[in-house]
């Protein structure tokens, strides 16, 4: 694919063609595009675009969001852009509407790593539950985990997984990932020095040793689905009108095939301090499981979810190490590291290292 400069993406002609391809514009015409505001996140740049039309365009979007990479980020454009483009080109068209924002155009350039997405603006109908780092209320969390359950149920043990949608990690890929993690942890431990306790050094050494055995759950390829990966609560828009089934999940640059409990562990064990997590955790797992059953998932009981969740929390202790490796700010990975280890202790995850 050829590189498309962002200056071209924001031209009326380009957006007109993108909307027309999606059936979102007929018979009107986009006459102008204005950047209302823009801001950079850690891994991308977001532009809010306002569109002007000529002719009949009553059902065409008045605004769009353009999401693109950060070419000046150390190490070049964020490689996750390729993943998110793949989500909107491979996954989103094959799943029920109303789970993710509508995408009108998705592009990734293999030579340069440049990428962009033209996404639906949900600002009039939806909102983020809170501003980071404040957790949502229990009722809002219920809406979020039920939205995740609907997404997971839509792909639960789908025969397309690993065939036409996503890919399974084989033994060679898993071995390479484990070697990469060992290197990342060595650098992580060296950076922290005596701020990393001997107990946690031992924990991660044992985890690295146990990984081939722990991967057995993944290699069953049973009770698996598509997970968001970056599944914190601020990557979910809730409906302003309070519709229970209309939450939208966004930021899909870490999606993969895995156990659904990975998204729940990322949401709760990594981001919540013990008091709130202990009060909300079991109830939200119950809500998630109830929604799975309501959406047609069979043969996966509540105990299986509990065991998968414990294993997911154990795996999530490696997430802050990966975040450190890709230069995520320390205010994020350090707090995540502390919280997820407290969750792992509460759930007895160390027992899983013994086999």
């Amino acid at each position: 694919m050829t590189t498309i400069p962002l200056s071209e993406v924001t031209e009326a002609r380009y957006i007109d063609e993108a909307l027309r391809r999606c059936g979102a514009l007929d018979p009107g015409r986009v006459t102008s595009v204005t950047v209302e505001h823009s801001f950079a996140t850690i891994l991308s740049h977001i532009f809010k675009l306002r569109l002007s039309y000529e002719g009949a365009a009553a059902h065409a979007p008045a605004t769009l969001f353009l999401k693109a990479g950060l070419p000046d980020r150390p190490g070049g454009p964020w490689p996750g852009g390729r993943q998110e483009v793949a989500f909107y080109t491979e996954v989103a068209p094959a799943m029920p509407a109303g789970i993710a924002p509508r995408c009108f155009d998705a592009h990734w350039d293999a030579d340069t790593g440049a990428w962009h997405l033209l996404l639906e603006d949900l600002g009039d109908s939806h909102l983020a539950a809170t501003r980071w780092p404040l957790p949502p209320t229990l009722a809002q969390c219920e809406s979020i985990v039920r939205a995740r359950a609907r997404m997971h149920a839509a792909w639960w043990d789908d025969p397309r997984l690993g065939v036409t949608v996503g890919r399974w990690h084989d033994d060679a890929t898993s071995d390479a990932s484990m070697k990469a993690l060992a290197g990342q942890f060595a650098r992580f431990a060296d950076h922290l020095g005596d701020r990393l306790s001997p107990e946690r050094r031992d924990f991660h050494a044992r985890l690295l040793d146990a990984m081939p055995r722990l991967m057995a759950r993944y290699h069953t390829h049973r009770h698996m689905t598509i997970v968001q990966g970056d599944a914190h609560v601020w990557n979910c828009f809730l409906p302003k009108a309070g519709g229970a089934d209309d939450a939208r999940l966004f930021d899909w640059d870490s999606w993969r095939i895995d156990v659904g409990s990975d998204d729940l562990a990322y949401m709760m064990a990594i981001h919540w301090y013990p008091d709130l997590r202990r009060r909300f955790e079991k109830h939200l797992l119950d809500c998630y499981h109830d929604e799975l059953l309501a959406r047609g998932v069979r043969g996966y009981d509540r105990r299986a979810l509990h065991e998968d969740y414990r294993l997911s929390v154990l795996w999530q202790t490696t997430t802050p190490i990966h975040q450190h490796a890709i230069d995520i700010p320390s205010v994020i990975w350090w707090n995540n590291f502390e919280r997820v280890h407290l969750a792992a202790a509460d759930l007895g995850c160390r027992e899983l290292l013994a086999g």
Side-chain angles (χ1 to χ4, degrees), residues 75-106:
W78 169 237
R82 178 181 184 179
Q83 262 304 81
E84 191 160 20
V85 168
F87 174 82
Y88 281 107
T89 55
E90 299 174 16
V91 182
M95 68 187 192
I99 292 176
R102 187 177 181 187
C103 181
F104 300 98
D105 187 55

Side-chain angles (χ1 to χ4, degrees), residues 234-252:
W234 304 281
N235 276 346
C236 181
F237 282 138
L238 298 177
K240 292 179 179 179
D245 292 343
D246 197 31
R248 306 293 176 86
L249 305 172
F250 63 96
D251 274 3
W252 289 93

Side-chain angles (χ1 to χ4, degrees), residues 227-268:
V227 299
Q228 186 176 16
D230 192 15
H232 56 67
V233 296
W234 304 281
N235 276 346
C236 181
F237 282 138
L238 298 177
K240 292 179 179 179
D245 292 343
D246 197 31
R248 306 293 176 86
L249 305 172
F250 63 96
D251 274 3
W252 289 93
D253 55 18
S254 298
W255 74 273
R256 64 185 186 276
I257 304 172
D258 218 316
V259 290
S261 57
D262 276 10
D263 276 350
L264 303 178
Y266 189 91
M267 171 182 161
M268 296 186 285

